Structure formats: structure tokens, C-alpha cells
Amino acid sequence: MEELKTNVVNEKRVQALAMDFLTVSQQAAIAAYPWIGKGKKNEADGAGTEAMRNQLNLIDMSGLIVIGEGELDEAPMLYIDEEVGTGRGPQIDIAVDPIDGTSAIAKGLDNSIAVLAASVKGSLLHAPDMYMKKIAVGPKAKGCIDIDAPLIENMKAVANTLGKSLQELTVMIQERPRHNHLIKQVFDAGASVRLFTDGDVTGSIATAIEEMDVDILVGTGGAPEGVIAATALKSLGGDFQGKLAPQNQEEFDRCMKMGLSEPEKALTIDEIVKSDDCFFVATGITDNMLMKGIRKKENGLTLTHSFLTVGGSVSKYQSIETYY
């Protein structure tokens, strides 16, 4: 009984860290801002990463990066198995992409954010930085998706659950050659495609927000972004499935080394994020579907726009503007 009480206290303290993590994403976004449109994505990523690391290390927690940019030799990135925080406070798992959309920043385009997700220790998927096949839907379509089924079957299931015809569906897909076959299937079904260039985290979350008019997100993108999106959707009551996609034997072996005995196994949202005691935070660097980008004001202040959602919370999400 005493151990159970300890765990409950730990979980409550994890959720209480959400506002601290909000500051982390805000500082990372502000640090990356000067690099918008400069053609130097590595510099933008490095600035955001270092700001994020510095702010994380001020938080009273024992944090572990369970999925992120890579291994130790990838510094200055936040690397997998890096420990962050003061070492005092709750033990938590962290999934991170300091800058989702570095190419967009370099080109001065929309859809770049600073983003993190966290949960209690041992609850987030611990996996390499690699490709992941994904499918995401909002709360009304929860429980009707199957990542191993053909896209058309998922579209029919979602349409039926939402009370829509196939022609009324909107499917969000990243504009990449690897997705041309998915785009064709949507067109062939008479449904609508909503393409985007960078950052599938916001696209996944859009399926859970009615005003966005996005019914499904499908495609293959980064695994860290998949875990982050799954955390957000779990907090919002949506659904997500993922499937790691090793591109070679080395990536397959890395999965095995990290304890994933079936690297290409289909994973449900509850296998990717095992606890409801989780949260997601993001801050816009450039404009995107959920947030405005960084704004410099005439009074010298910087205005940030962030998105926060906490598992089990009464309000599904908060849209937060903060001056610095």
C-alpha cells in the first residue's frame, strides 16, 4: 500500500511539471527565432536544443530522454538516454524534438515548433531515432483504426464512425514521394487530401480538434514525433497507432538492443504511452495549424504562442500566449 501511495504522489508531481516544461518549449522557440529564413537549419536546431537542455536542467526532476535525436555522439542534440533535471523530484520519461521543422525555419516557411512530451518513468516508448509508420484520429474515431489494414479500410471505418461519406473525409498527409501511393488512394476514394510540408506532430493533433476539419493523418515520419504526437492524442482522447520502420540491419539491431524484440510490431497508443499521467507542450516558432510563431513587439517584448495538454485534465487543452 505504501508503494502505491508513493507512485500516486509521483504521478501527480509529474503532471505538476507541465508549466515548467512550457517554459522549456518557449525558451527553445525564442532561441531558434533569429535563424528563421537564414538557410542554416543546423544552427537553428543547435540554438533551440541548447536552450531546451539548459532549461530542462533547472527543473526539479530526474528526467530521462527515452526517444529523441540519437546517441551521445550526436551532441549538441538532446540524445537518447541523456539524463536531465536537477536529480531531485519525480522520475519521468521525456520524448523530445527540440525543433520540429528545421528545414521550414531555414527557408522561412510555416510549420516549425519546439516540442516535448513527458510521462511517468517507464511509460513512454524507448526506441531509436528512426522512421515510424503512423495513423492518427480524433476522439470520435477512437478504436476504429488498424495500421495493418489498407488505407481505404481505415477510411471506411472512420467515415462510418463519424457518420460521414468517404467523399466528406479529409486525410492529412505529408507531401513526400514516399506518400504518393497514399495520396492516390485518397483521391481514388473521392476524399479530400490536405498536404503539408513539415512537422507531422501538429497534423496528428489536428485530428482531435473539430475546428481543424481533419479526420485522419497517415504517413511515415520520425519516431520521436510519433511518440510525442501519441502523448498529445492520449491527453486529448484521440487515437494513434505506430509501427517502427527500420531502414537497414543496423537500425533493426538498435531496436533489438533497446529491448524491442519485435521492432516492426504494430503499436497501439496504450503501448506507446502506457500512462494517462502524461503531458504535451509545444511553442510555435513559425506559424502553424495550432499556434502563431514568435512575434517581436514594438515595446521590445517577445510574444510566444504555445499549446499545452495534460492527461486526465478537465480542459482538453490550453492555448497560451506569453510575453518575454
Side-chain angles (χ1 to χ4, degrees), residues 67 128-132 134 174 178 200 220-227:
I67 188 165
D129 179 12
M130 61 191 301
Y131 276 122
M132 173 187 274
K134 312 168 188 180
Q174 189 174 22
R178 65 178 178 270
D200 63 8
T220 301
E225 293 84 356
V227 175

Side-chain angles (χ1 to χ4, degrees), residues 154-203:
N154 279 296
M155 291 172 61
K156 288 177 180 178
V158 171
N160 182 62
T161 301
L162 298 180
K164 293 184 175 184
S165 67
L166 277 175
Q167 291 72 31
E168 293 174 303
L169 280 186
T170 299
V171 183
M172 196 154 194
I173 304 173
Q174 189 174 22
E175 191 172 14
R176 294 288 188 273
R178 65 178 178 270
H179 294 149
N180 286 346
H181 69 293
L182 297 175
I183 295 169
K184 182 178 184 303
Q185 290 175 60
V186 176
F187 285 153
D188 287 347
S192 299
V193 168
R194 186 165 178 177
L195 296 176
F196 63 99
T197 56
D198 292 283
D200 63 8
V201 173
T202 53

Side-chain angles (χ1 to χ4, degrees), residues 35-214:
W35 295 101
I36 294 174
K38 303 292 185 177
K40 297 182 178 181
K41 68 176 186 177
N42 290 337
E43 285 81 354
D45 208 10
T49 299
E50 284 309 299
M52 188 169 279
R53 172 181 284 115
N54 292 338
Q55 199 66 40
L56 282 170
N57 283 327
L58 296 177
I59 300 174
D60 284 334
M61 65 174 177
S62 294
L64 181 70
I65 308 297
V66 297
I67 188 165
E69 293 290 344
E71 310 302 333
L72 179 58
D73 59 4
E74 293 293 328
M77 302 303 177
L78 281 157
Y79 56 85
I80 296 170
D81 291 331
E82 178 175 354
E83 297 178 358
V84 292
T86 64
R88 302 183 299 271
Q91 296 178 311
I92 68 171
D93 286 351
I94 302 170
V96 61
D97 187 359
I99 309 298
D100 183 23
T102 52
S103 293
I105 289 180
K107 297 174 183 177
L109 299 175
D110 290 348
N111 296 322
S112 63
I113 60 175
V115 61
L116 310 91
S119 188
V120 293
K121 181 181 179 181
S123 58
L124 295 184
L125 178 68
H126 186 213
D129 179 12
M130 61 191 301
Y131 276 122
M132 173 187 274
K133 181 181 177 184
K134 312 168 188 180
I135 182 168
V137 293
K140 292 183 179 178
K142 184 176 176 64
C144 73
I145 54 174
D146 179 0
I147 199 167
D148 284 328
L151 175 56
I152 186 62
E153 295 304 319
N154 279 296
M155 291 172 61
K156 288 177 180 178
V158 171
N160 182 62
T161 301
L162 298 180
K164 293 184 175 184
S165 67
L166 277 175
Q167 291 72 31
E168 293 174 303
L169 280 186
T170 299
V171 183
M172 196 154 194
I173 304 173
Q174 189 174 22
E175 191 172 14
R176 294 288 188 273
R178 65 178 178 270
H179 294 149
N180 286 346
H181 69 293
L182 297 175
I183 295 169
K184 182 178 184 303
Q185 290 175 60
V186 176
F187 285 153
D188 287 347
S192 299
V193 168
R194 186 165 178 177
L195 296 176
F196 63 99
T197 56
D198 292 283
D200 63 8
V201 173
T202 53
S204 295
I205 295 171
T207 64
I209 301 175
E210 282 195 38
E211 295 82 0
M212 296 294 176
D213 194 28
V214 176

Side-chain angles (χ1 to χ4, degrees), residues 5-14 89-91 120-121:
K5 288 182 180 178
T6 301
N7 288 339
V8 170
V9 170
N10 184 59
E11 289 165 358
K12 287 181 178 177
R13 290 178 66 191
V14 167
Q91 296 178 311
V120 293
K121 181 181 179 181

